[in-house]
Amino acid sequence: MTLAVRYTSARTLDTAPATASEPGPGEVELAPAYVGICGTDLHIFHGDMDARVAPPAVLGHEMAGRIVRVGSGVEGWRPGDAVTVMPLRWDDTCPACRAGHQHICQHLDFIGIDSPGAMQQRWTVPASTLIRLPATLPLDQAALVEPTAVAVHDVGRAAVKDGEKVVVVGGGPVGVLIALVARAAGADVRVVELNAHRRLLAEELGLTTWDPAATDITELVQRWTGEAGADVAFEVSGAAGGVDTAVDVLGVRGRLCLVAIHPRPREINLHRFFWRELTLVGARLYDRGDFERAVALVADGTVPAQRLITKIVPLTEAPAAFEALESGGDVMKILVDCTDDAQGAAV
């Protein structure tokens, strides 16, 4: 018997015994080591995704761990291999898949939302979802590969180029990762963030930050760019004001990349889009190439994952960790330690 963190109803999580299913053909059984809590997990916790999530639901999709068992027909993997998971299952038959966009399959199973996730001591997944990790990469740092893959995909969708001026609106975990990946692509980056703790952390990573409560961001961008405006803006805040800022800072033919989940329609200055010939692109999830690039960026220190981890809690304390993240404050990324030793549970 193992333990799992389960969503049971709005604002209610528990840790309960779970039975690991034996890996079937083409499947592997994993022992998750560390699982990150992300904004989507908080949306589930709030009850905002009950149309997709069927309680009791095991959460978590930002993970790193090791293979325990492999099912029949699985080649190239063996027990003990360090892995992360690209938590996507697509049908390969819908129009999106046939067009080559499997990661946004029209019937996508996002593992950890639509089906059981990683916040448990044993987890069975298709071998096709595995991404190999370097043996030298600590597993706690490797748990940040998935959000880094999000950032890699976002920067790719915005087609960020060397020398461009980039504004990231929102300095949470994904915003900081986008800034780091954009900087690695050669961009000159500014991060707009209200929270002082998050600004300080970003600055410690060598990023320049601006406080929108203390200054006029549009005016700063005008001075920074010689009145040209930014080439690219990323909206990562999820707030109406963040959308306005991201639009207002863009120069002629600038690109706005929408990253944050906005649960309700927002007003947007379409006249600005007309007047400056702006482009809006959506960015959702990632593909295998994004994941492999993310592994490299974390492994070589371009993304200093350890600096982004605020704390690590045992699986039994995960419900309290959700509440800590919800309150904001001096928190960036919390990991849940799912290892057997951390829980003292019999397996």
Side-chain angles (χ1 to χ4, degrees), residues 7 9-13 39-50 322 325-327:
Y7 168 77
S9 62
R11 303 189 56 76
T12 305
L13 300 174
T40 302
D41 297 321
L42 286 178
H43 282 299
I44 296 172
F45 176 63
H46 295 153
D48 296 336
M49 300 181 68
D50 282 358
F322 273 74
L325 272 174
E326 182 184 36
S327 66

Side-chain angles (χ1 to χ4, degrees), residues 167-249:
V167 176
V168 179
V169 182
V174 172
V176 169
L177 289 169
I178 288 171
L180 292 170
V181 174
R183 184 175 69 180
D188 189 5
V189 184
R190 299 293 183 270
V191 178
V192 178
E193 172 57 44
L194 281 166
N195 183 281
H197 174 76
R198 289 179 166 180
R199 287 200 310 275
L200 177 60
L201 176 58
E203 288 163 5
E204 290 174 349
L205 298 178
L207 298 166
T208 300
T209 70
W210 289 330
D211 179 2
T215 188
D216 185 322
I217 300 300
T218 303
E219 183 179 324
L220 279 178
V221 171
Q222 289 296 97
R223 293 206 301 267
W224 172 46
T225 63
E227 300 189 355
D231 300 293
V232 180
F234 292 91
E235 203 311 277
V236 202
S237 72
V243 175
D244 293 339
T245 298
V247 173
D248 290 345
V249 300

Side-chain angles (χ1 to χ4, degrees), residues 95-169:
C97 287
R98 294 199 306 271
H101 309 305
Q102 288 91 342
H103 71 290
I104 47 175
C105 169
Q106 289 165 230
H107 307 109
L108 186 69
D109 172 6
F110 190 107
I111 306 172
I113 300 176
D114 305 305
S115 57
M119 216 168 283
Q120 54 185 317
Q121 292 175 311
R122 293 293 184 269
W123 188 35
T124 298
V125 298
S128 60
T129 66
L130 299 181
I131 305 288
R132 192 176 301 277
L133 296 172
T136 56
L137 179 60
L139 292 180
D140 57 346
Q141 297 179 37
L144 272 76
V145 164
E146 192 272 353
T148 301
V150 170
V152 171
H153 187 75
D154 298 340
V155 170
R157 283 287 290 154
V160 173
K161 295 186 284 291
D162 183 29
E164 290 193 312
K165 306 285 190 184
V166 171
V167 176
V168 179
V169 182

